Amino acid sequence: QTCALPISHPFGGCSSLEKIEIVGAATVIPGRLLCYDEFRNVREIILPRTVIEIGDQAFASCTKMEKIRFGEGYEEGRFPEGFEKIGSSAFDGCSSLNCDLYLPETVISIGDHAFDGCTSIERVKGPIGISWSLPINIEEFETVGTAEAVPYGFFKNRASLKKVVLPETIVTIENSAFYGCSCLNSISFGDEGINGRLPETLKDIRKYAFYGCGKLDLELPEGLETIDEYAFENCSNLDIQVWPQSLKSIGQFAFAGCTSLQKVDIPEGVQEIPWCGFQGCTGIKELTVSEKVSKIEGFAFENCSELVRIVSPFVWDQRTFEGSFGGCSKVEEIEVIGDAKTDRKSTRLNSSH
């Protein structure tokens, strides 16, 4: 039930094999090497430490494979330093592979669907500077090396993901990077990063970046300039204590449904509060709008039902107030600051206030 062979030796029909060891000093594992029914019972594969590339579908459909290692006695799931490429669908369907996965900084390419169907892998340490698809049930991820961006959709819909450690060099969090990570409650940057504290290098948070991350709370860094549309929508645990004065732009629906927000302080760099930007933030009690804000769009604070106090440079009539603050029935005080502006785009002030 154990077979050791040189890499060049093809074989088949050995349906009782449970362990395969490739001997010699091979650098490339050919595509579709074990992608046949004969190897459906293989549980462990040992490869030479000299391997730097695994070909397309090399181990696809090895549904009972539990372990892969590079050299006898080497740590399971740990790819060797110097390793470079994993082909498309290389481990597709390896549903029993349950070791922690470590991919070194030297990896330059991971093909499409490389780890599709690897439903038992829960912890991964690997690069984010290249495009690849993480195992669907991943719970923890730690970056190796440095990067300036969290790529588009990198963690998208990884609903089991709970903990992420990223480089402290991140400048941009791209579109949908953490979209749908509903269990994510720990994110840190750098070896000594504090949970929830985004790095000082961060400038831009793109569309849908944290959409639906309902367990996550974050600290926004001074230096952050842009928060795009839907970036934090439905982040129901988000309660920002300090709003960075460097902020210049907030997109539509950026904080819609952030029901734990209690105090919003729009900084001077923001010129407009967008359509539905804070819609449904039912925990907000106090809102301060900078004198530099020139416009509050419709429905911006609609159904912020606990809002009590507004500090703002705007003077509203009843109709315009309700355009932006509809459903804010508990407002008791509106303090007008600076040179009062009549805002025709935003919404409600009456004699009871």
Side-chain angles (χ1 to χ4, degrees):
Q1 292 185 345
T2 299
C3 180
L5 69 159
I7 189 64
S8 61
H9 181 75
F11 61 99
C14 303
S15 59
S16 62
L17 281 175
E18 294 185 359
K19 180 178 179 180
I20 293 177
E21 180 178 3
I22 306 294
V23 299
T27 57
V28 177
I29 301 300
R32 301 182 63 84
L33 179 67
L34 302 183
C35 184
Y36 302 97
D37 286 344
E38 288 88 347
F39 305 109
R40 61 183 178 273
N41 290 316
V42 171
R43 298 179 182 274
E44 182 177 0
I45 294 174
I46 302 176
L47 304 177
R49 297 188 187 183
T50 52
V51 169
I52 62 171
E53 180 178 345
I54 294 175
D56 297 347
Q57 298 181 301
F59 306 111
S61 301
C62 290
T63 57
K64 293 186 179 180
M65 183 173 68
E66 300 172 354
K67 303 174 183 179
I68 183 170
R69 68 179 80 219
F70 292 79
E72 190 69 61
Y74 207 63
E75 184 180 349
E76 295 174 16
R78 187 179 184 92
F79 286 60
E81 298 298 328
F83 188 90
E84 295 180 356
K85 297 180 180 180
I86 299 175
S88 298
S89 302
F91 295 91
D92 190 0
C94 296
S95 55
S96 297
L97 189 62
N98 59 8
C99 51
D100 294 350
L101 189 63
Y102 173 83
L103 302 175
E105 189 177 355
T106 53
V107 173
I108 58 175
S109 175
I110 300 176
D112 294 339
H113 314 294
F115 295 97
D116 280 12
C118 294
T119 54
S120 297
I121 294 177
E122 297 179 350
R123 287 172 292 276
V124 175
K125 189 171 183 178
I128 64 168
I130 59 175
S131 176
W132 63 293
S133 182
L134 295 170
I136 191 65
N137 291 331
I138 184 174
E139 294 186 4
E140 298 182 12
F141 179 87
E142 182 177 349
T143 307
V144 296
T146 62
E148 292 189 354
V150 182
Y152 170 85
F154 192 76
F155 297 99
K156 186 176 182 179
N157 290 329
R158 295 306 184 260
S160 298
L161 185 66
K162 299 175 183 178
K163 181 180 180 180
V164 173
V165 180
L166 297 171
E168 56 189 353
T169 52
I170 295 295
V171 176
T172 303
I173 299 176
E174 292 288 359
N175 295 355
S176 303
F178 295 94
Y179 182 104
C181 294
S182 55
C183 288
L184 182 62
N185 58 18
S186 177
I187 181 170
S188 58
F189 295 79
D191 294 337
E192 299 180 1
I194 297 174
N195 181 25
R197 181 174 293 176
L198 299 180
E200 294 179 358
T201 54
L202 186 64
K203 299 294 184 185
D204 303 300
I205 299 175
R206 301 301 192 193
K207 296 178 182 178
Y208 296 101
F210 291 96
Y211 181 96
C213 295
K215 294 187 177 181
L216 193 62
D217 193 14
L218 298 170
E219 296 179 26
L220 303 184
E222 193 61 44
L224 180 64
E225 297 179 355
T226 303
I227 298 174
D228 278 351
E229 292 94 329
Y230 309 96
F232 293 105
E233 185 172 6
N234 294 329
C235 290
S236 54
N237 197 46
L238 186 67
D239 184 15
I240 298 169
Q241 300 296 315
V242 179
W243 293 79
Q245 293 304 302
S246 55
L247 194 60
K248 297 178 180 179
S249 175
I250 298 174
Q252 296 179 2
F253 293 92
F255 293 95
C258 293
T259 53
S260 292
L261 283 178
Q262 297 186 51
K263 184 176 181 180
V264 173
D265 187 356
I266 305 297
E268 292 187 355
V270 176
Q271 296 183 359
E272 298 182 4
I273 301 176
W275 180 275
C276 301
F278 295 85
Q279 185 184 55
C281 293
T282 54
I284 295 176
K285 295 178 173 60
E286 183 173 340
L287 166 65
T288 300
V289 179
S290 164
E291 293 182 47
K292 302 293 185 180
V293 173
S294 61
K295 183 186 296 185
I296 302 177
E297 294 284 1
F299 308 105
F301 295 92
E302 183 185 44
N303 293 329
C304 293
S305 54
E306 295 300 313
L307 183 61
V308 174
R309 184 171 186 266
I310 301 173
V311 179
S312 163
F314 295 98
V315 174
W316 296 285
D317 58 28
Q318 180 78 23
R319 179 183 61 82
T320 54
F321 183 86
E322 293 200 0
S324 293
F325 293 87
C328 298
S329 58
K330 294 186 179 181
V331 175
E332 297 175 352
E333 178 186 356
I334 296 179
E335 178 183 342
V336 179
I337 58 174
D339 296 328
K341 306 168 188 176
T342 301
D343 182 15
R344 300 302 182 188
K345 292 289 186 182
S346 58
T347 44
R348 173 175 83 149
L349 179 63
N350 61 33
S351 58
S352 66
H353 297 134

